[in-house]
Amino acid sequence: MTELAAGANIPVPPGMLVLTARWEGAAALDASAVLLAEDGRVRSDADLVFYNQPEAEGGAVRLLGADPGRASLRIDPGALPAGVQRVVAAVSLDEGSFASLPGLTLELHEGAEGFGTPVATFPVRTGGPETLLLLGEVYRRQGGWRLRALGQGYDTGLAGLAADFGVAVDEDAPRAPEPVAAPEPAPETQLAPAPEPEPVAEPEPAPETRPAPEAPAGDRISLRKEIVRVSLEKRGAAGVRARVVLVLDRSGSMRSLYSSGAVGRLVERIAPVAAVLDDDGELDAWTFADHCARLPTLRPAEATGWIERQVYIRAGNRQLPPLPDGSLRVPDHLVGVFGGNNEPEVMREILDTFAAEPGDPVLVLFFSDGGVNRSRQIQELLVKAAAAPVFWQFVGLGRSDYGILERFDSLPGRLVDNAGFFQVDDIDGITDAELYDLLLSEFPQWLAEARRLGVLRR
């Protein structure tokens, strides 16, 4: 059985599947699902499966009912038409929010009944104001189907899900809240001027919905370092040493992630990993597109200035995001790093660099939004590099074509499994604990196996 974290994905077994939500306590939950086309929207309102419409596509997606502490949804991927790319499963509460619901877990079961040991589980982090949570999605990938753990939601219930995916919800449905009609004016006052409405005070936002004040940079680093340590301890890897390398995709399709500051925020979260693992606390870094470039070493305490100077992308004559004062980074030392994806070039440079600098094992954290089209070269490099003290953790940022990255578990010819991959649709949407668990989930296993096979000498 596999335990998933938010953003992680696995292939699903062939045939019928059952997704089951389990929770503790007496709360009443309703399961629902949406069938989505390639554009991420429903094709029609018939693609919403909920209590008033319990199946879609002739039963290919069907609610199985709910018991105390349990609600299930059956999916037959093989019966879905080509126009359906994803099925997103959700649960919603009649009363209250998920902040008061303990023990929520998504289970993936093989077969039509949904009993027995699950193939995979996803312990869902709750605690916010959400009244509907997207638990997971079953989606097409290269002729097969996969399950991705989600754990994101809305504080507007089924209406929020409907609005996001293009469903027109019938407001007169029996389970939906009844709208309150405005009173009809009395006949004798219908021709009189309408009185001025009394001013209504703007309601104060609920305290729990206000974002907490951002902690000082030093406090954030210390907190994140502690979260990294906890993640390593859970895997029996407390105190391990490794050199940490960050690789950032700088191809044109990454422009929105740079412009929004998402890449910069990601770098700020990766620096504490090096602060814990590396004996000098420094992070080595590269960026790549058609060509690659090594960036200056990053020290966590200097992250803000480093991100401003190094984490940007060109858009014509602009640099995104701009510097705080609006000026350009001059000289633009990354002017030659643009275009498409050339992963093999940066991989070779990293391998050559650390072959010439023997020492602690190397953990490469390699971020890309996809468009991987050099699968054969990447496979040859990983097979050849399996005897090197380097582990490659690839991270997909969004839904795109990741080629060989999604097939690492079945990649033949390697002395040791030296690479891992997971996708995160919204890197800002997962907690530090979830991110570090995903980044470090396979590295300790590789360390143990690499030592057993003599790849690592200490």
Side-chain angles (χ1 to χ4, degrees):
M1 182 179 67
T2 301
E3 182 172 306
L4 302 174
N9 67 87
I10 59 168
V12 301
M16 288 191 180
L17 311 168
V18 173
L19 296 180
T20 295
R22 294 188 184 274
W23 63 94
E24 299 171 11
L29 268 67
D30 290 312
S32 56
V34 281
L35 287 65
L36 303 177
E38 190 170 2
D39 63 358
R41 311 279 284 180
V42 298
R43 299 162 303 164
S44 73
D45 293 350
D47 283 343
L48 173 65
V49 175
F50 69 126
Y51 41 78
N52 282 335
Q53 187 168 275
E55 68 173 49
E57 288 295 340
V61 180
R62 181 176 181 80
L63 297 181
L64 296 183
D67 300 315
R70 180 178 183 269
S72 297
L73 173 80
R74 185 172 63 214
I75 303 173
D76 184 0
L80 290 170
V84 175
Q85 295 295 309
R86 293 189 285 144
V87 179
V88 179
V91 287
S92 55
L93 280 162
D94 286 341
E95 297 180 357
S97 73
F98 282 97
S100 59
L101 186 79
L104 180 60
T105 300
L106 175 67
E107 297 178 349
L108 169 65
H109 290 266
E110 185 175 5
E113 302 303 323
F115 297 110
T117 302
V119 176
T121 62
F122 169 40
V124 184
R125 181 181 62 86
T126 59
E130 297 91 347
T131 56
L132 181 143
L133 280 175
L134 308 180
L135 299 182
E137 62 178 5
V138 175
Y139 64 101
R140 294 182 190 269
R141 176 65 67 185
Q142 296 177 338
W145 291 84
R146 301 179 73 87
L147 168 70
R148 179 183 291 113
L150 296 176
Q152 303 167 357
Y154 310 88
D155 59 8
T156 50
L158 195 61
L161 176 144
D164 244 14
F165 296 119
V167 182
V169 177
D170 180 5
E171 292 183 357
D172 295 325
R175 295 282 295 278
E178 292 292 332
V180 179
E184 289 291 328
E188 64 271 19
T189 62
Q190 283 183 349
L191 299 180
E196 287 292 322
E198 293 187 14
V200 178
E202 190 71 22
E204 286 290 324
E208 63 271 19
T209 65
R210 293 178 179 172
E214 188 169 335
D219 292 347
R220 293 200 303 275
I221 292 171
S222 297
L223 177 59
R224 284 171 169 158
K225 285 166 61 177
E226 186 57 32
I227 297 171
V228 172
R229 290 190 185 97
V230 169
S231 184
L232 290 168
E233 287 172 1
K234 288 191 297 186
R235 290 161 176 78
V240 299
R241 286 297 179 196
R243 292 169 289 181
V244 181
V245 175
L246 172 66
V247 182
L248 296 174
D249 185 350
R250 202 172 187 260
S251 60
S253 58
M254 286 282 292
R255 190 168 294 159
S256 64
L257 291 173
Y258 277 88
S259 179
S260 68
V263 179
R265 291 188 294 274
L266 172 63
V267 173
E268 185 179 310
R269 299 170 78 182
I270 297 303
V273 178
V276 172
L277 287 174
D278 199 300
D279 60 1
D280 61 10
E282 297 180 349
L283 180 67
D284 295 293
W286 271 261
T287 188
F288 78 99
D290 283 338
H291 298 288
C292 67
R294 187 171 185 178
L295 302 175
T297 299
L298 168 60
R299 298 170 181 84
E302 302 168 1
T304 300
W306 191 95
I307 291 167
E308 287 182 357
R309 294 189 301 273
Q310 310 299 334
V311 182
Y312 65 98
I313 196 167
R314 291 190 65 89
N317 293 323
R318 297 179 298 152
Q319 295 174 346
L320 303 173
L323 287 170
D325 64 0
S327 63
L328 295 176
R329 298 162 181 89
V330 178
D332 185 347
H333 62 286
L334 297 178
V335 67
V337 183
F338 66 94
N341 293 71
N342 186 356
E343 296 85 3
E345 180 181 278
V346 68
M347 292 174 67
R348 289 190 196 97
E349 186 165 315
I350 290 169
L351 288 167
D352 290 346
T353 297
F354 289 99
E357 302 172 6
D360 288 332
V362 180
L363 171 60
V364 180
L365 304 178
F366 198 115
F367 292 87
S368 169
D369 72 337
V372 177
N373 55 24
R374 301 175 192 242
S375 290
R376 181 182 58 80
Q377 296 175 50
I378 294 171
Q379 177 171 337
E380 290 173 352
L381 270 171
L382 287 174
V383 170
K384 183 179 179 180
V390 181
F391 183 79
W392 304 82
Q393 181 60 67
F394 292 86
V395 183
L397 302 174
R399 300 185 180 94
S400 191
D401 180 11
Y402 293 102
I404 191 67
L405 306 190
E406 293 190 291
R407 302 194 294 276
F408 285 151
D409 289 343
S410 59
L411 189 63
R414 291 175 294 167
L415 176 63
V416 63
D417 183 354
N418 59 344
F421 173 77
F422 64 89
Q423 284 177 254
V424 178
D425 293 335
D426 177 10
I427 196 67
D428 285 330
I430 64 174
T431 67
D432 289 332
E434 291 168 335
L435 176 61
Y436 298 145
D437 279 351
L438 287 167
L439 290 175
L440 301 171
S441 63
E442 298 188 52
F443 182 58
Q445 301 169 30
W446 171 81
L447 284 174
E449 188 68 3
R451 288 193 179 100
R452 187 182 71 81
L453 295 172
V455 175
L456 296 177
R457 303 297 181 185
R458 51 177 176 159

